Amino acid sequence: MLNAYHAALIWDEPTTHLDQTSINLLIEELRYDDGTLFLVSHDRHLLNQLTITIREIEDETMMII
């Protein structure tokens, strides 16, 4: 599934219940996807590895990090 081209992937907390080996595999697979990736996650390592822009919502205010 991850090797196919996707126009966009929308994932909410994709690393929940994954061990570190599985998280690393997921990051490596998603790193080479040519489509748009929209992630909602508390996993800052995942976000730092896969995103260009992070938008954080705090106290009903959105900030670009």
Side-chain angles (χ1 to χ4, degrees):
M1 177 191 141
L2 292 177
N3 291 332
Y5 174 77
H6 301 280
L9 289 173
I10 301 172
W11 284 13
D12 182 15
E13 297 292 350
T15 57
T16 301
H17 305 297
L18 295 181
D19 62 9
Q20 193 59 51
T21 302
S22 298
I23 292 170
N24 291 339
L25 179 62
L26 178 66
I27 289 170
E28 288 306 310
E29 289 293 323
L30 290 175
R31 189 178 308 238
Y32 298 105
D33 190 276
D34 292 332
T36 299
L37 180 59
F38 180 83
L39 289 171
V40 176
S41 181
H42 291 92
D43 185 339
R44 194 54 175 241
H45 175 70
L46 175 82
L47 294 172
N48 288 339
Q49 294 296 311
L50 295 175
T51 62
I52 296 169
T53 303
I54 298 175
R55 295 176 191 248
E56 184 175 302
I57 300 173
E58 183 176 331
D59 297 327
E60 300 179 14
T61 303
M62 183 181 295
M63 300 173 288
I64 299 175
I65 298 175

